[in-house]
Amino acid sequence: MRLLKSISFFILLTVCFSGLAQAQSREVMELKSGWKFTRNADEAAYRSQYDDAGWETVSVPHDWAIYGPFDKEIDKQTVAVTQNNEKVATEKTGRTGSLPYIGQGWYRQKFSIPASGKNKRVILLFEGAMSEPVVYLNDQKVGQWNYGYSYFYFDITSYIKNDGVNVLAVHLNNPDQSSRWYPGAGLYRKVSVIFKNEESIDQWGTTVTTPMATTDLAKVNIRTAVSGENVRLVTEIFDPAGVRVVAGQTDIRFGKEFDQNFLIKDPKLWSPESPNLYYAVSKVYAGNELKDELKTRFGIRQIEYSPSTGFSLNGKTRKFKGVCLHHDLGPLGAAVNVAALRRQMRILKEMGCDAIRSSHNMPSLEQLELADEMGFMFLAESFDEWAKPKVKNGYARFFNADAEKDVVNLVRATKNHPSIIMWSAGNEVPDQHGAEGVKRAKWLQELFHREDPTRPVTVGMDQVKATLQSGFGALLDIPGLNYRTHLYEEAYRVFPQGFILGSETASTVSSRGVYKFPVQKQVEKQYPDNQSSSYDLEYCSWSNLPEDDFVLQDDKPWVIGEFVWTGFDYLGEPTPYDDKWPSRSSYFGINDLAGLPKDRYYLYRSRWNKEKETLHILPHWDWKGREGEVTPIFVYTNYESAELFINGKSMGVQKKNNTSPQHRYRLMWMDVKYEPGTVKVVAYGNDGKVAAEKTISTPGKPYAIKLDPDRRTIQADGEDLSFVTVSIVDKNGNECPQAANQLKFSVKGAGKYRAACNGDATSVEQFHLPTMKVFNGKLVVLVQAGESAGPIELVVTGDKLKEGRIKLSSTASSAINK
Ligand code: GAL
């Protein structure tokens, strides 16, 4: 249990402005530790007197299913996936990750009201609960919510005991066949209790928009819904440096809402490159008494979509260099973790990515905060199903009754994030067919507009022909095409919007460090080892290679960007091995499930990251047994041409050209024969001069374990993580790309071993056990900080290998590199 005093920082400012200082007006108590959890309790578990002594003690965010074990039988679905053009049902084993998410779970938490919270209005806020949460407090049912991805809250004032212990119980239920991917299970996002006065700002009651935003002037409109009589609102706006730039007060309400407009001169605009953030402090007074105070962060930016200029941010046309992300964090499952999210976004930023689509549901609030801070544009999605189902027990069961409140909560909870530049009302919904679906699309879009008139709405469409004919695509603000690169031209001609968004692109498949021969384009190719080739030439019947999208993005001014499927591998949906055990996670990622880059990372980086050089060689050069055999070499680079040398001998110069989409974006030497030694690539600039060089060598035998943490100092908050990349190297420090050693991990000091992941989609080793095999020479260990500061040591050992040892530390100071 942790008490966050949202107010103390502002007391001084309050004094300066109004001459009034008051005691705390609002407190947030996050319910973190000390939860009791079980999967096997009866219905009476909601009662205060229920004996939960035998239950597990857990912290929230919590995902009960991620600890496994993986099991082929879990959620085995014998289905034909019609979206994937399948006609015949086959047994799908890893579709939802083969992890035990199905079934019922109970969580219970006991808490007392802090003295300052007594006799206040009390709100209980869930940022996501998987799924169908039913909430009880002190033996009474408070409410329920069906969709596992929604944020929702209940006013629990009439249920709470001001004195003594309150017992909160939450029941969750995950039916089988309720998802197309691993959904996670449990209270996987934050739960908090908010105490506030009667006279206070409503939950999600502040709405900040910037109707005008230029570098000279910005108009900031703030609407604030406030409860209570005879109240007055004071609003102060602070710039990114924390300096108060403008303030105003009012006692005129329109219904429940105050409506204030501010002028900010020379505003610092928000963009992915300069993610400047302002914040508003809203204070509610009754007479001279401060009753509530709330800080709302926002950005000043202007978005526009038009046939003549496509998408523009702050007046400049740009195309989304985006990725789709599922919500799971690999070895952490669905349990939200800021350090893991931040690491993902650092990796994406380095690739030059500037946008994220939360496929196919509500993003975590933590991820949106990071997007605001680190500079990512966000396409916030809501549903993967409307009224027509994709899976037997999916959201279609709830759509008619719940869709409106799910959309309302999505928009109200997240609308002030400058990163959000578009809403998505759905992904590849089967409702694309039929008149009812067209009506649903219109209805949903209007709901989004009602809640937020400032952002447009898209739907990711795969049934493009149907939506071209029915009016479904024409009515959307933004026509989003999933794949179907061959239909872009037609869609552009027929749809009235004047532009097309690649709402989902590529779906190329690969396994990190795996290369298959002969090197050729393949559709849904399966190999006996359940891996896909990292020559990046394999895709699905409905999808395509990255370059098919690059061509459209580069040649068609009316294509406004792309969201690649996917930035990182995710649990479940192991296409092209949907029916092959033990595949249990995806192959689509630009990065693997451990967050390690696959070769494709450098292909995207070579065109997206304009600041830095990319010169990447594939495959690795450790091919004992392939001597004399054709082993093509590809180079992903931002340079136009390069020369390749094998053991000093030139293999010729390759130059990007238009003979095929691949030749336009990759340099390829198709006839190289393997011989051990060195591969050197010399890149030439446009002036013909040598611009850069890179060499890779055939390694010797595995000799030692090398450790490389993403951060050496982490926060002593019980949650922060250091991600340590573990590589097997030879005597000279060269990486051994074929190594498959079993390793053991131990952590001493002020931290603990949290999990490991090797990115192998076929591994059934459990993430939280302190041993794992490296996959193609690498894996990642997650070391978690405890709650007290101090030194931490990670030791990694493996048979016949020199051990790896690294010192990390955790600190109480927040002034660390995050
Ligand atoms: C799309 C779908 C995604 C994922 C992807 C795999 O059709 O929207 O959720 O299934 O295909 O290629």
Side-chain angles (χ1 to χ4, degrees), residues 61-200:
H62 176 244
D63 179 347
W64 83 56
I66 193 60
Y67 303 97
F70 292 100
D71 184 342
K72 181 176 191 265
E73 297 305 314
I74 298 174
D75 209 16
K76 197 162 74 181
Q77 305 185 8
T78 303
V79 291
V81 181
T82 45
Q83 308 93 260
N84 297 0
N85 312 322
E86 293 180 4
K87 306 262 178 308
V88 182
T90 55
E91 188 182 276
K92 308 278 182 322
T93 37
R95 196 173 192 204
T96 49
S98 310
L99 287 165
Y101 83 98
I102 294 167
Q104 307 186 31
W106 277 103
Y107 288 83
R108 284 161 53 95
Q109 169 74 268
K110 296 184 180 154
F111 63 94
S112 309
I113 305 295
S116 52
K118 288 189 180 169
N119 303 313
K120 294 271 174 100
R121 186 148 288 279
V122 190
I123 304 292
L124 176 60
L125 172 67
F126 291 81
E127 295 180 15
M130 193 62 72
S131 65
E132 302 176 28
V134 186
V135 179
Y136 303 88
L137 189 65
N138 301 327
D139 302 347
Q140 291 180 68
K141 181 171 163 184
V142 172
Q144 68 185 77
W145 203 275
N146 294 315
Y147 197 29
Y149 294 102
S150 270
Y151 334 102
F152 61 94
Y153 66 91
F154 300 116
D155 186 327
I156 53 169
T157 313
S158 61
Y159 301 86
I160 203 110
K161 285 195 246 170
N162 280 299
D163 300 301
V165 175
N166 289 281
V167 179
L168 171 65
V170 184
H171 181 255
L172 296 162
N173 177 39
N174 293 317
D176 68 337
Q177 301 197 43
S178 49
S179 185
R180 294 195 297 119
W181 55 82
Y182 175 70
L187 296 178
Y188 71 108
R189 288 181 180 165
K190 271 192 209 161
V191 181
S192 11
V193 186
I194 300 161
F195 303 96
K196 54 183 196 163
N197 289 314
E198 234 7 86
E199 300 90 344
S200 56

Side-chain angles (χ1 to χ4, degrees), residues 347-348 351 566-569 589-593 595-598 601:
I347 292 168
L348 293 174
M351 187 169 72
T566 46
F568 290 83
D569 275 330
I590 291 173
N591 297 280
D592 72 14
L593 196 71
L596 295 170
K598 301 182 190 172
Y601 179 88

Side-chain angles (χ1 to χ4, degrees), residues 479-526:
L481 258 60
N482 286 8
Y483 316 103
R484 308 326 183 266
T485 48
H486 59 289
L487 295 176
Y488 271 50
E489 288 277 0
E490 185 181 347
Y492 170 60
R493 272 199 319 275
V494 175
F495 288 145
Q497 294 87 343
F499 49 77
I500 300 288
L501 170 69
S503 41
E504 201 171 304
T505 62
S507 264
T508 296
V509 288
S510 62
S511 308
R512 177 183 53 77
V514 173
Y515 304 90
K516 302 289 187 188
F517 304 95
V519 174
Q520 57 194 15
K521 274 197 198 176
Q522 302 268 14
V523 180
E524 280 167 66
K525 174 74 182 166
Q526 297 190 339

Side-chain angles (χ1 to χ4, degrees), residues 187-365:
L187 296 178
Y188 71 108
R189 288 181 180 165
K190 271 192 209 161
V191 181
S192 11
V193 186
I194 300 161
F195 303 96
K196 54 183 196 163
N197 289 314
E198 234 7 86
E199 300 90 344
S200 56
I201 299 166
D202 291 356
Q203 185 64 25
W204 305 326
T206 312
T207 307
V208 186
T209 57
T210 53
M212 184 180 76
T214 68
T215 45
D216 298 333
L217 285 180
K219 178 182 173 187
V220 177
N221 174 266
I222 305 188
R223 289 183 290 122
T224 314
V226 176
S227 294
E229 297 306 313
N230 301 321
V231 284
R232 171 168 63 92
L233 180 72
V234 175
T235 301
E236 300 169 280
I237 296 181
F238 295 82
D239 74 7
V243 176
R244 198 184 77 188
V245 286
V246 62
Q249 61 170 308
T250 174
D251 56 8
I252 302 168
R253 269 192 287 182
F254 306 86
K256 279 187 105 179
E257 274 187 356
F258 291 103
D259 190 316
Q260 295 169 294
N261 292 291
F262 300 95
L263 179 72
I264 297 185
K265 291 212 177 99
D266 305 321
K268 296 194 171 53
L269 303 182
W270 184 93
S271 70
E273 295 69 35
S274 307
N276 293 309
L277 294 170
Y278 285 72
Y279 59 92
V281 176
S282 316
K283 296 174 189 155
V284 177
Y285 289 94
N288 281 340
E289 203 182 331
L290 178 66
K291 290 291 190 177
D292 195 14
E293 180 165 337
L294 191 65
K295 178 176 165 177
T296 306
R297 211 167 62 163
F298 66 96
I300 299 175
R301 51 106 180 108
Q302 196 182 48
I303 53 172
E304 207 188 322
Y305 298 81
S306 94
S308 51
T309 49
F311 166 66
S312 58
L313 178 71
N314 302 328
K316 285 193 201 113
T317 295
R318 56 191 293 161
K319 299 194 179 203
F320 299 110
K321 301 183 280 185
V323 296
C324 301
L325 291 183
H326 265 225
H327 70 308
D328 79 65
L329 294 166
L332 298 173
V336 70
N337 179 285
V338 175
L341 286 167
R342 191 184 276 116
R343 170 178 177 254
Q344 282 197 335
M345 290 159 88
R346 264 202 319 266
I347 292 168
L348 293 174
K349 195 92 202 170
E350 176 64 26
M351 187 169 72
C353 167
D354 66 9
I356 293 171
R357 168 181 182 229
S358 61
S359 40
H360 303 296
N361 33 60
M362 292 71 182
S364 67
L365 299 182

